Amino acid sequence: MKYKYLSHTADAKFIAFGKNIDEVFENSALAMFNILGETKKVKSNKKFKININAKNYERLLYDFLEELLFLLETESLFLSKIKNLKIGKDLSLSCIVEGDDIQNYELKGDIKAVTYSDMVIKKTDKGYEATVVVDI
Amino acid sequence: MKIKKISKNVWEIPRENEMNAPVRVFASEKLLKAIKQDDCIKQGINVSTLPGIYGKSIMMPDAHQGYGFPIGGVAAFDVENGCISPGGVGFDINCGVRLLASDLDITKIKLKINELMEELFNNIPCGVGKDSKLKLSDEDFEKVLNTGLKWALEKGYAIQDDLDRCEENGHMQTADASKVSPRARKRGRNQLGTLGAGNHFVDVMYVDEIYDKEVAEVFGITKKNQVVVLIHSGSRGLGHQVCSDYLKKMEDEFPDIIKNLPDRNLTYSPTKSKLSKDYLSAMSAAANYGWCNRQLIAYHSRLVFNKLFGDDGSLNTIYDVAHNIVKIEEYKIDGEMKKVYVHRKGATRAFGPGHKEIPEVYRNVGQPIIIPGSMGTASYVLVGTDKAMNETFSSTPHGAGRIMSRHEASNTFNEEGVRKNLTEKNIYLKSASKAGIIQEAPEVYKDIDEVIKVTDEVGIGKKVAKLIPVGVING
């Protein structure tokens, strides 16, 4: 399982899984965009590079998801996939995101903001997991 | 956790351990049961641990789980030794409502309701990723942020009466556009005058019942069946980014604070810090943007009404009020007048009669309060009271309050069912998305009539009029 949604009255809460930290970040992004619609069905017509860094994993995840939200609002990007996501030991993240114009799809939700509420990134027996609440 | 009953509709969680104040919940037994279903009381307790809190961490009858602060939460902090928390305002800064009244009778509207709702839907951009028709110059954008409705007045999108009947006259003087980041500006640039998605809406309604004829008349609600328009939207991506930017700035500047908090989204800066001042300047600019946003939606609604109904279709602003904001206000605390930072996260300001910040036309009776229900239920107009001044830092509920998550709603309802329900109630629905219809089904909210009953009984707002929808645009 890449991610699952948890119960939250007003917003969306999810937990993303991965065998390593890179995969957890990738699956968190997919979990966030699947609130809008099925990312599997989105074409790859647009491409953007992301390069960010932060002081800790929580902040890096927050910044990463917020960067995707920024691309959604300013470049009309509906994410389809993430390629070559790598997080360095210095907490720098680089990847290529692909997707299509959001106007081409029927949506099942909106995302206003990434929040810090209940955010946890932890190591488990199987790898890593991240819990995120997004304001919708 | 012990919840103690204080009196009818009033509950308290006594101060213990890390708490700096008790938590007070205003709810009937029925609403308390709903409130207890999620984690919002725990969030109310978390707020009570913040420094410099005065009185109580307050939870409204419509409270539910939010992020950091509960939605329907109110907390006031000392201006010297307290804190300011962007999470206590929320991501959608100056999310709020505007109520406009016409002279039309509902019978006139009903004949043209399809045409009216289609026209409104075509003229107000709504839904995810729908850009504004407005192309703003750099100079105009700066003015929107710094001067709010003054800009709208200058451009002919507003009349003086709109400014006179708006919280802060639609212009927070503490605004400073230079404190709004380029990212926030970029997100907000193409969204001015757009409704957004989620729970944002434009409703065409009629006055179903008048409880206080005298006050209603002062507000411009003159008769039963009078047509009104209710707009719910906020500061769009710009406000969301301002909140996000300052949460992170506070984390960077005060790393020890965030480390010791029960929830990272509660992060704050001490009131006297420069960062607090910067946040207030940026938040005020976002609030100005929010007022201009609702003003433009009102402007386009006016054009449609005038086109279809001529002069009879004129829409006059009754009031425009924020429900996500932090303000400096003055209260009598321990016998002394004190300035505090009141955070309202999903709560409406409710000043009683005589308060100097109420528009002059309403000053004798109190501030109009507008509390929307869901798309299939009533909304209410209330008036502010002195009791709210003493009990809740002049705050009252902001809506029905969700009870069911959007995810659960998607698994429980379908589009046809919700449409049928609304059609049976003679409500014409236009929505930017199918999902929006399902996720905003009336059943996902608490009982608005019960929320209003508690508000009125506790006295933190008195009922003036009940409004019933005939047309809904869902974002």
Side-chain angles (χ1 to χ4, degrees), chain B residues 398-416:
Chain B
H398 82 309
R402 279 192 91 91
I403 196 165
M404 188 191 283
S405 70
R406 289 171 170 95
H407 188 61
E408 196 183 341
S410 302
N411 293 332
T412 311
F413 305 111
N414 59 48
E415 187 198 353
E416 294 72 35

Side-chain angles (χ1 to χ4, degrees), chain B residues 103-257:
Chain B
D103 278 335
L104 292 164
D105 189 273
I106 188 61
T107 47
K108 276 208 173 170
I109 291 274
K110 277 190 172 161
L111 300 170
K112 285 189 180 175
I113 189 73
N114 300 14
E115 198 184 346
L116 173 64
M117 298 316 291
E118 296 294 332
E119 284 273 345
L120 286 171
F121 187 75
N122 291 335
N123 283 284
I124 300 164
C126 55
V128 182
K130 284 281 177 332
D131 281 351
S132 171
K133 288 175 267 185
L134 203 63
K135 296 286 167 254
L136 292 173
S137 68
D138 290 345
E139 192 192 343
D140 275 333
F141 195 60
E142 206 72 5
K143 275 191 179 172
V144 167
L145 297 177
N146 279 327
T147 72
L149 288 191
K150 279 191 173 175
W151 167 82
L153 179 68
E154 202 179 283
K155 288 284 165 182
Y157 295 120
I159 53 172
Q160 184 59 44
D161 197 53
D162 294 325
L163 280 71
D164 294 343
R165 292 168 200 252
C166 183
E167 180 174 349
E168 298 281 337
N169 301 115
H171 165 217
M172 280 189 93
Q173 301 197 2
T174 40
D176 180 353
S178 72
K179 304 297 176 193
V180 177
S181 71
R183 275 173 87 84
R185 286 160 185 256
K186 196 165 178 197
R187 280 178 74 176
R189 194 66 190 246
N190 297 323
Q191 294 181 334
L192 195 66
T194 63
L195 190 62
N199 60 359
H200 291 157
F201 63 77
V202 177
D203 280 5
V204 176
M205 317 180 91
Y206 67 93
V207 178
D208 178 56
E209 218 170 320
I210 295 176
Y211 306 103
D212 187 329
K213 200 166 177 294
E214 203 180 310
V215 175
E217 251 172 52
V218 176
F219 288 173
I221 297 170
T222 53
K223 59 196 175 203
K224 265 180 129 173
N225 295 328
Q226 183 182 356
V227 171
V228 298
V229 174
L230 182 57
I231 298 164
H232 177 220
S233 189
S235 54
R236 316 286 291 109
L238 182 131
H240 310 161
Q241 189 67 46
V242 166
C243 178
S244 199
D245 288 342
Y246 281 88
L247 276 174
K248 293 193 278 183
K249 278 177 195 252
M250 288 177 190
E251 178 188 9
D252 290 342
E253 192 156 330
F254 304 106
D256 291 342
I257 288 178

Side-chain angles (χ1 to χ4, degrees), chain A residues 88-111:
Chain A
K89 286 209 171 87
D90 58 346
L91 292 180
S92 64
L93 178 155
S94 64
C95 69
I96 293 162
V97 295
E98 293 181 4
D100 195 7
D101 195 306
I102 197 146
Q103 299 297 340
N104 298 334
Y105 300 86
E106 167 139 25
L107 302 179
K108 57 175 187 169
D110 185 23
I111 307 158

Side-chain angles (χ1 to χ4, degrees), chain A residues 8-35:
Chain A
H8 191 295
T9 315
D11 301 309
K13 187 172 183 176
F14 60 79
I15 179 161
F17 308 97
K19 57 181 185 296
N20 53 44
I21 198 81
D22 299 355
E23 212 172 274
V24 153
F25 271 58
E26 184 178 332
N27 290 338
S28 296
L30 292 173
M32 185 170 87
F33 270 86
N34 271 280
I35 294 165

